[in-house]
Amino acid sequence: MTAAAPPDLYCSDHVAPMVATLAAVGDAELALFHEQGYLAIRQAFDTGAVDDALTAVTELIDGANPAFRGVSFEPGTGPSEGLSLDERRLRVRKLMSFVDHDERLRLLSTDPSLLHVVSRLMHGDTPELFQDMALLKPPGGREKPWHQDMAYFNVPIDTVVIGVWIALDEATSANGALHVLPGSHRQGPRLHFKRRDWQICDSEVPHGTDVVVPLPPGGVLLWHGLTHHGSPDNESNRRRRALQFHYRPSTVALTTTPERMQHYGGEVRGAVC
């Protein structure tokens, strides 16, 4: 059995500051992002866009598009066959690579206001979407341990990769809102280990210096690909559903998995956790 996360691994006492809208992101907010490694937007998408996205996610889970094969179930919860619709919806942990299968979700990933801010965070480079996911955390849903997204991506370590996390339900401290470690992107790559997940070693996480990012539906968190972040268990009776997009500069030259692992692979480097 995989060991549980240490009880003090996530601090919910410090709440991230918020920018009101994408349109309110100016030079000061861009500077704050590059200093802190993240930027939280209270309201980026309206109720209609959120409702459309929730409907699209539900339809993909229910099998409305037979061509879509990107459904991943929560590990260790038993067979996925023969479930009722309600059971299936609660057992799905992720949807992967859906923008080519649903126009409503594609439109969110190409929203001009969002891409304008992402481009500015990339110092004017043109953003290229290279990963799209829905992250679904039902009541009792498991933690996603502390990690850097760049540990998953075959791009040079100095690439400005931008993660975009769009809340479809209210994200709270109780139901698994994201936590980030301000300024951690400036530390460069950190070694990751296969423990509860592909993660930074728990002993390397400085307790009590993270911030939690509660968001209303339609709120957005943007973060640098090297920023340390994680999400605790959902200890509430409410679902926490979100979309996640990753963008890289369109001109970036890709590297290889062995090259990436030389920077992030703890076991490859002979390190211990």
Side-chain angles (χ1 to χ4, degrees):
M1 178 180 295
T2 304
D8 57 351
L9 197 58
Y10 302 92
C11 171
S12 59
D13 295 335
H14 309 298
V15 177
M18 300 275 176
V19 180
T21 64
L22 288 167
V25 176
D27 290 344
E29 288 73 27
L30 297 178
L32 183 65
F33 174 89
H34 290 296
E35 176 189 345
Q36 297 293 310
Y38 75 95
L39 193 64
I41 313 294
R42 185 176 303 279
Q43 202 66 51
F45 296 101
D46 63 23
T47 300
V50 171
D51 289 345
D52 283 349
L54 283 170
T55 300
V57 165
T58 301
E59 290 178 357
L60 290 175
I61 290 172
D62 292 351
N65 185 341
F68 180 68
R69 293 287 187 268
V71 178
S72 297
F73 288 86
E74 180 76 22
T77 56
S80 58
E81 297 81 12
L83 299 175
S84 70
L85 284 181
D86 287 342
E87 289 171 332
R88 182 178 175 85
R89 291 169 184 172
L90 288 173
R91 288 268 295 278
V92 171
R93 178 65 183 262
K94 291 181 183 178
L95 301 180
M96 298 285 295
S97 304
F98 47 67
V99 294
D100 292 332
H101 296 275
D102 192 283
E103 181 66 8
R104 294 161 293 189
L105 300 176
R106 187 192 69 80
L107 286 173
L108 281 180
S109 74
T110 58
D111 179 79
S113 296
L114 174 64
L115 293 187
H116 177 66
V117 171
V118 172
S119 176
R120 294 177 72 195
L121 296 175
M122 290 179 174
H123 308 290
D125 286 328
T126 299
E128 176 184 293
L129 178 70
F130 70 100
Q131 186 188 70
D132 53 291
M133 309 167 65
L135 301 175
L136 314 174
K137 189 171 287 198
R142 295 184 308 142
E143 169 211 21
K144 175 67 177 180
W146 287 94
H147 64 285
Q148 296 172 300
D149 288 342
M150 290 280 279
Y152 291 85
F153 304 146
N154 292 339
V155 295
I157 60 173
D158 60 351
T159 305
V160 181
V161 167
I162 303 296
V164 176
W165 197 91
I166 305 171
L168 300 181
D169 298 304
E170 183 181 11
T172 69
S173 297
N175 73 1
L178 286 180
H179 291 239
V180 298
L181 189 63
S184 53
H185 64 302
R186 292 185 273 113
Q187 300 175 16
R190 300 297 294 270
L191 295 179
H192 285 59
F193 300 84
K194 184 64 176 177
R195 293 296 183 263
R196 296 183 304 283
D197 205 318
W198 179 236
Q199 65 176 92
I200 297 170
C201 191
D202 292 334
S203 61
E204 296 298 314
V205 178
H207 296 181
T209 60
D210 57 306
V211 297
V212 64
V213 190
L215 289 170
V220 166
L221 174 65
L222 304 106
W223 70 94
H224 190 289
L226 287 173
T227 299
H228 303 191
H229 62 288
S231 172
D233 294 341
N234 182 350
E235 298 180 346
S236 78
N237 60 1
R238 300 173 62 187
R239 291 181 291 182
R240 191 230 64 188
R241 294 167 292 181
L243 302 180
Q244 182 170 289
F245 301 130
H246 276 100
Y247 301 87
R248 63 192 177 203
S250 61
T251 57
V252 70
L254 301 184
T255 59
T256 66
T257 296
E259 289 175 297
R260 169 170 57 87
M261 295 298 283
Q262 286 300 316
H263 296 288
Y264 299 98
E267 285 86 359
V268 169
R269 295 283 297 275
V272 295
C273 173

